[in-house]
């Protein structure tokens, strides 16, 4: 079975330690992903200093935050904390214009990490809803050529769609995204913001989401893929015990 990654949000040190204590109870969890959320002061690589000693941690780096004319600002933290993996994403434009961004693309930052931190394993994102499949596969190829060794997808809600993408991306190390959706508002968010789609049998219930998660766990047990849990709107202490009984 491929690795199972769980995303935890770096709100503060106490929250990180609480989530870490929960994850330690599940031997199935192999690594942690930490997103970069602008409204929180803790950067993912700073949070990784807390989590890395317990579980391998993959901090997110937003490409638009990186000034290509300067050295990577997180380089020393990666080296000091022993962080061996990173996920490069494009990033959403900030609502607060005081947060400076650059016209930097993911491919640029993938190359920069390969040059400045060659010992760090670089992952990139797959957005299966963004454009047509052909266009997204082209992006995947370009990111791989730049140095990405694997990819993390947006959440899937339909096994048929996931299996189709698994066939198309069979040459790559893929972590299939899963995110519980428990309200009509949450479903609307994914449909509106990310253009995600849901199968006809979808129900915004814990039972449906646990069942779907178990199907993906079974899928990766038979393939070389990994699983990326994004429990964005639910406490991992409520969700994980129902998946890993």
């Amino acid at each position: 079975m491929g690795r199972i990654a769980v995303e935890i949000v770096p709100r503060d040190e106490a929250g990180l330690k609480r989530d870490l204590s929960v994850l330690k109870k599940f031997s199935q969890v192999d690594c942690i992903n930490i997103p970069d959320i602008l409204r929180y002061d803790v950067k993912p690589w700073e949070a990784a200093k807390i989590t890395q000693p317990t579980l391998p941690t993959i901090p997110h780096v937003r490409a638009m935050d990186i000034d290509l004319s300067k050295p990577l600002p997180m380089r020393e933290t990666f080296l000091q904390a022993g962080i061996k993996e990173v996920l490069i994403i494009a990033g959403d434009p900030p609502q607060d214009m005081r947060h400076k961004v650059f016209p930097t693309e993911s491919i640029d930052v993938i190359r920069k990490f390969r040059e400045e931190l060659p010992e760090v394993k670089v992952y990139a994102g797959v957005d299966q809803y963004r454009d047509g499949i052909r266009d997204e596969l082209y992006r995947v190829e370009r990111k791989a050529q730049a140095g990405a060794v694997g990819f993390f997808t947006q959440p899937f809600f339909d096994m048929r769609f996931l299996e189709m993408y698994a066939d198309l991306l069979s040459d790559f190390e893929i972590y299939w995204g899963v995110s519980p959706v428990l309200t009509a508002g949450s479903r609307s968010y994914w449909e509106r913001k990310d253009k995600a789609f849901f199968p006809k049998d979808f129900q915004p219930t814990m039972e449906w989401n646990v069942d779907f998660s178990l199907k993906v766990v079974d899928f990766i047990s038979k393939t070389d893929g990994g699983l990326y849990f994004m429990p964005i709107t639910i406490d991992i202490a409520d969700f994980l015990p129902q998946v890993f009984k």
Side-chain angles (χ1 to χ4, degrees):
M1 181 186 294
R3 290 201 302 173
I4 293 178
V6 176
E7 180 175 287
I8 60 175
V9 176
R11 294 178 177 87
D12 53 39
E13 183 174 343
L16 284 166
K17 289 182 176 178
R18 185 191 69 84
D19 287 343
L20 190 60
S21 69
V22 173
L23 294 179
K24 287 166 60 177
K25 300 175 182 177
F26 301 99
S27 61
Q28 300 92 335
V29 176
D30 300 291
C31 53
I32 294 171
N33 266 54
I34 302 183
D36 191 349
I37 300 178
L38 298 182
R39 66 178 178 272
Y40 298 126
D41 294 331
V42 183
K43 304 304 290 183
W45 45 94
E46 295 293 339
K49 292 193 291 187
I50 297 171
T51 59
Q52 177 72 20
T54 302
L55 278 170
T57 301
I58 308 172
H60 295 199
V61 170
R62 291 162 33 99
M64 65 173 57
D65 293 336
I66 301 300
D67 182 351
L68 293 176
S69 69
K70 298 178 180 179
L72 287 169
M74 65 286 297
R75 182 177 184 275
E76 289 306 313
T77 301
F78 268 71
L79 293 173
Q80 293 169 6
I83 303 168
K84 299 299 183 183
E85 300 167 279
V86 67
L87 173 57
I88 307 299
I89 61 169
D92 294 324
Q95 295 180 346
D96 184 350
M97 289 299 105
R98 290 176 296 179
H99 182 93
K100 187 175 182 179
V101 295
F102 303 89
T104 310
E105 298 184 359
S106 297
I107 290 173
D108 301 322
V109 182
I110 292 169
R111 290 197 183 99
K112 195 169 180 64
F113 262 85
R114 299 306 303 141
E115 293 168 0
E116 298 185 21
L117 286 168
E119 65 277 20
V120 172
K121 192 173 184 179
V122 179
Y123 297 99
V126 172
D127 188 343
Q128 64 271 22
Y129 307 114
R130 175 167 31 197
D131 291 310
I133 293 175
R134 186 184 299 274
D135 289 337
E136 193 59 25
L137 292 178
Y138 175 69
R139 290 190 183 95
V140 168
E141 291 284 355
R142 289 191 64 205
K143 291 173 182 178
Q145 290 169 2
V149 299
F151 296 86
F152 284 73
T153 76
Q154 287 278 45
F156 280 87
F157 306 100
D158 189 317
M159 282 303 302
R160 295 165 300 177
F161 191 41
L162 187 154
E163 289 167 354
M164 182 190 73
Y165 251 91
D167 183 56
L168 295 170
L169 298 175
S170 60
D171 292 337
F172 302 102
E173 179 184 354
I174 307 293
Y175 289 78
W176 305 103
V178 172
S179 185
V181 171
L182 299 175
T183 66
S186 182
R187 173 178 178 169
S188 178
Y189 168 87
W190 283 111
E191 291 176 327
R192 183 181 68 256
K193 183 176 183 295
D194 289 274
K195 303 179 183 178
F197 55 83
F198 294 74
K200 286 186 176 180
D201 71 348
F202 171 78
Q203 296 292 327
T205 63
M206 181 67 80
E207 181 181 11
W208 190 96
N209 283 275
V210 168
D211 180 66
F212 180 75
S213 299
L214 290 172
K215 289 177 181 177
V216 182
V217 170
D218 181 64
F219 176 79
I220 69 166
S221 73
K222 300 172 182 176
T223 66
D224 295 328
L227 174 55
Y228 175 30
F229 276 124
M230 290 173 272
I232 298 171
T233 60
I234 187 171
D235 194 317
I236 58 174
D238 296 327
F239 179 65
L240 292 183
Q242 301 194 59
V243 177
F244 301 126
K245 295 180 181 179

